[in-house]
Amino acid sequence: MTRSVVVAATQMACSDSVEENIANGEKLVRQAAAQGAQVILLQELFETPYFCKRHDAEYLALATSVEENPAIQHFRGVAEELGVVLPISFYERAGQARFNSLVVIDANGQVLPGVYRKSHIPDGPGYSEKFYFSPGDTGFRVWDTAHGRIGVAICWDQWFPETARSMVLAGAELLFFPTAIGSEPQDPTLDSRLHWQNTQRGHAAANLTPVIASNRIGRERDGEVELRFYGSSFIAGPDGQLCAEADQESETLLVQSFDLDKLAAQRAAWGLFRDRRPDLYTAIATLDGSHKSVG
């Protein structure tokens, strides 16, 4: 008997109403579950508009603990009712620190142990995340769920091959990336959409592990800064091919099935993990690329 799983990627626009955004996310989750999806991905920080467009200390008040967060508590009931696994992105407050975080809700509605805190924090025009988030201190995480062992990281993490490789080395059978990315306000001619997709498709191919990415859509303005989020959410197979892709503007749901046992056999047969040479990769653990010993 093989182990197969049906995954879903979603994309939607976000309003100023937390309740409305949670309801819209639930609508997409229910639609995905009706199509057989068992692990369903909602986008990064979907409770609100993307608030990192500029520095504004008032937005620091949006951070909550896991126990207080309305989306996490709401989707626990949805996950239990539908028997689905839901990674949920949220703005976390922990003591005096704030993180861009996520939890995984299992198919029984329980929040699985361990929060993941975004490791790589960008800082550029329109994406001023270092003002709002401390660098994550959890390391990369994977979760054993009712529907497979999954790795989940967040947005800027997806540009780093070390992120995907670390999760697969820890046993991830599927890789999920909730995202908020779009236009670059300092250069209207710059379009990172294909670069964004191709980088993650490379992670799938290099690790022989499917990648599921959910991005937001719509135009959002805060003061003088406006971003147009380019959607293009997608599911890539283990050789990096696009299995499903959304457009840049529509609220969308993508569904794809994978045979986890077949994927595991494929990874083993290729020998990519057998032939790794971690003894030669010490430069990766340094900032300047030197071959200093680690530890």
Side-chain angles (χ1 to χ4, degrees):
M1 183 177 179
T2 61
R3 295 183 306 129
S4 62
V5 63
V6 181
V7 301
T10 67
Q11 67 179 34
M12 66 183 193
C14 294
S15 74
D16 291 326
S17 168
V18 172
E19 294 77 12
E20 183 178 295
N21 295 327
I22 289 175
N24 206 22
E26 179 181 348
K27 178 190 70 176
L28 289 170
V29 166
R30 290 186 178 279
Q31 290 174 351
Q35 295 184 38
Q38 298 163 297
V39 187
I40 304 166
L41 184 64
L42 293 165
Q43 63 216 35
E44 180 186 18
L45 299 173
F46 64 86
E47 293 177 271
T48 65
Y50 178 74
F51 53 83
C52 307
K53 302 178 193 69
R54 61 186 182 89
H55 294 192
D56 188 336
E58 290 187 5
Y59 293 141
L60 297 172
L62 294 173
T64 68
S65 67
V66 172
E67 295 74 21
E68 296 170 330
N69 182 264
I72 293 172
Q73 300 313 315
H74 179 85
F75 280 102
R76 288 186 61 189
V78 175
E80 182 178 20
E81 177 191 344
L82 300 177
V84 298
V85 174
L86 300 174
I88 299 295
S89 166
F90 72 109
Y91 188 15
E92 182 191 10
R93 185 186 70 249
Q96 296 301 314
R98 289 169 172 80
F99 301 95
N100 188 338
S101 300
L102 63 84
V103 298
V104 174
I105 303 174
D106 210 354
N108 61 1
Q110 297 303 304
V111 176
L112 291 176
V115 173
Y116 172 66
R117 293 169 173 164
K118 187 174 182 176
S119 301
H120 305 94
I121 309 298
D123 186 48
Y127 302 90
S128 298
E129 295 197 10
K130 282 184 166 62
F131 181 78
Y132 296 97
F133 312 126
S134 293
D137 58 359
T138 60
F140 303 113
R141 303 191 62 97
V142 298
W143 289 267
D144 284 309
T145 78
H147 302 303
R149 187 169 174 84
I150 67 172
V152 192
I154 303 170
C155 201
W156 191 230
D157 288 333
Q158 65 207 357
W159 295 87
F160 297 85
E162 297 86 353
T163 301
R165 178 56 56 88
S166 295
M167 291 190 290
V168 176
L169 285 173
E173 299 173 295
L174 301 160
L175 300 175
F176 294 83
F177 291 100
T179 300
I181 189 169
S183 58
E184 303 290 338
Q186 82 282 7
D187 184 356
T189 68
L190 181 59
D191 184 354
S192 64
R193 185 181 66 86
L194 291 179
H195 185 189
W196 172 75
Q197 282 192 345
N198 289 340
T199 297
Q200 294 174 87
R201 291 172 65 183
H203 300 333
N207 293 285
L208 292 160
T209 303
V211 166
I212 300 93
S214 288
N215 191 22
R216 67 174 63 201
I217 54 172
R219 291 183 179 272
E220 297 182 12
R221 188 175 186 87
D222 191 346
E224 298 299 313
V225 181
E226 182 179 75
L227 296 179
R228 182 188 67 82
F229 294 95
Y230 52 57
S232 304
S233 303
F234 68 93
I235 300 172
D239 59 1
Q241 84 279 13
L242 282 175
C243 299
E245 178 186 12
D247 67 21
Q248 297 188 49
E249 298 179 348
S250 303
E251 184 174 283
T252 307
L253 171 65
L254 308 173
V255 177
Q256 183 69 34
S257 177
F258 292 105
D259 184 326
L260 297 179
D261 290 332
K262 183 178 179 180
L263 290 171
Q266 186 179 13
R267 279 191 294 272
W270 267 97
L272 292 176
F273 293 91
R274 177 198 65 209
D275 296 338
R276 291 181 67 251
R277 292 291 308 277
D279 55 311
L280 301 181
Y281 305 155
T282 56
I284 293 176
T286 68
L287 289 175
D288 64 0
S290 64
H291 285 272
K292 301 170 185 174
S293 60
V294 179

